[in-house]
Amino acid sequence: ELELVESGGGLVQPGGSLRLSCAASGFGFSNYWMHWVRQVPGKGLQWVSRIRGDGVATDYADSVKGRFTISRDNINNMVYLQMNSLRVEDTAIYYCVRLLNADYWGQGTLVTVSS
Amino acid sequence: DIVVTQSTDSLAVSLGERATINCKSSQSVLHISANKNALAWYQHKAGQPPRLLFYWASSREVGVPDRFSSSGSGTDFTLTITSLQAEDVATYYCFQYYSIPWTFGPGTKVEIK
């Protein structure tokens, strides 16, 4: 059964760091681009980042470029999002997503940036 | 960056009536070589992850009821629910994947009148 399970969310102060993890199972993980999409509570969706199946190519939204780093481990079927220099406006539910190509979303993990 | 807009923030429609949501991108999302528009529609209900309804502007995802339809090309797109059901209450987002950074529209909340 296909599954994406996010973890690592929590409360962090502005300027702090957090690393999100996503455990994937039930599909040929290394064949797929993987994405992070976030939703500010009560507001809209924002595409954050993506990483190609081989882990070589990555892309980012302008608002996180230079602060966030996406990576993956194709041995253990994991995707990561390292978030540094966090801002209050990064507060959101972060979803790990196999986007569009047999679209599938995890349940999300909440990141709260607050002093 | 491509900016995606939706014509209305919210929409109240009676059960069984038609709901129409318009979406506009700041530049064309048509892949000329493939003759496909890199535009998708998502449905998002509270407490759940978003659900893909359409991709390539008009290709229906498996399991999406046929009361949902999608059309458009270039910069202008429309999602239609022909006979609104109670379970269709949600926020609907259009999403362009023509160029990085990929971008969502602001969403249209559909409610029952």
Side-chain angles (χ1 to χ4, degrees):
Chain A
E1 181 186 354
L2 197 157
E3 203 170 22
L4 295 171
V5 180
E6 303 94 337
S7 60
L11 175 64
V12 62
Q13 291 188 338
S17 297
L18 214 53
R19 188 199 199 201
L20 304 184
S21 300
C22 171
S25 59
F27 65 101
F29 179 72
S30 63
N31 295 326
Y32 290 85
W33 287 83
M34 294 298 297
H35 302 251
W36 289 95
V37 175
R38 69 185 181 184
Q39 184 191 22
V40 174
K43 297 204 174 176
L45 298 170
Q46 182 187 23
W47 176 85
V48 173
S49 181
R50 70 172 183 172
I51 185 166
R52 199 169 64 192
D54 60 8
V56 173
T58 59
D59 293 293
Y60 299 92
D62 295 343
S63 58
V64 307
K65 201 176 295 182
R67 300 188 299 122
F68 290 11
T69 303
I70 190 171
S71 61
R72 65 192 296 159
D73 173 0
N74 284 347
I75 301 297
N76 295 299
N77 291 357
M78 298 289 296
V79 184
Y80 303 101
L81 187 67
Q82 177 67 43
M83 304 186 296
N84 298 331
S85 303
L86 281 161
R87 305 167 180 168
V88 171
E89 55 265 33
D90 294 319
T91 294
I93 300 169
Y94 284 75
Y95 294 99
C96 173
V97 192
R98 190 180 73 181
L99 204 60
L100 294 169
N101 185 3
D103 199 87
Y104 193 83
W105 297 58
Q107 291 299 311
T109 186
L110 177 62
V111 172
T112 303
V113 184
S114 175
S115 54
Chain B
D1 298 0
I2 295 179
V3 176
V4 179
T5 56
Q6 293 178 229
S7 55
T8 183
D9 295 337
S10 63
L11 193 58
V13 176
S14 300
L15 287 172
E17 295 300 306
R18 177 187 298 259
T20 302
I21 301 168
N22 295 308
C23 169
K24 191 174 185 69
S25 57
S26 60
Q27 63 188 75
S28 176
V29 297
L30 174 64
H31 281 293
I32 293 174
S33 57
N35 196 29
K36 290 183 175 182
N37 292 276
L39 191 287
W41 287 96
Y42 282 88
Q43 175 193 64
H44 194 193
K45 297 181 180 180
Q48 299 179 19
R51 175 194 184 190
L52 178 66
L53 299 178
F54 292 91
Y55 55 96
W56 294 126
S58 59
S59 294
R60 187 190 310 274
E61 181 74 335
V62 172
V64 174
D66 60 8
R67 64 180 179 275
F68 289 89
S69 64
S70 173
S71 63
S73 185
T75 61
D76 293 280
F77 301 89
T78 300
L79 176 71
T80 302
I81 311 171
T82 52
S83 176
L84 190 75
Q85 305 299 304
E87 61 264 33
D88 302 333
V89 168
T91 300
Y92 293 84
Y93 296 91
C94 55
F95 173 62
Q96 73 80 20
Y97 51 99
Y98 179 83
S99 67
I100 293 292
W102 293 358
T103 45
F104 286 90
T108 297
K109 188 173 184 178
V110 174
E111 301 169 309
I112 305 297
K113 185 189 290 184

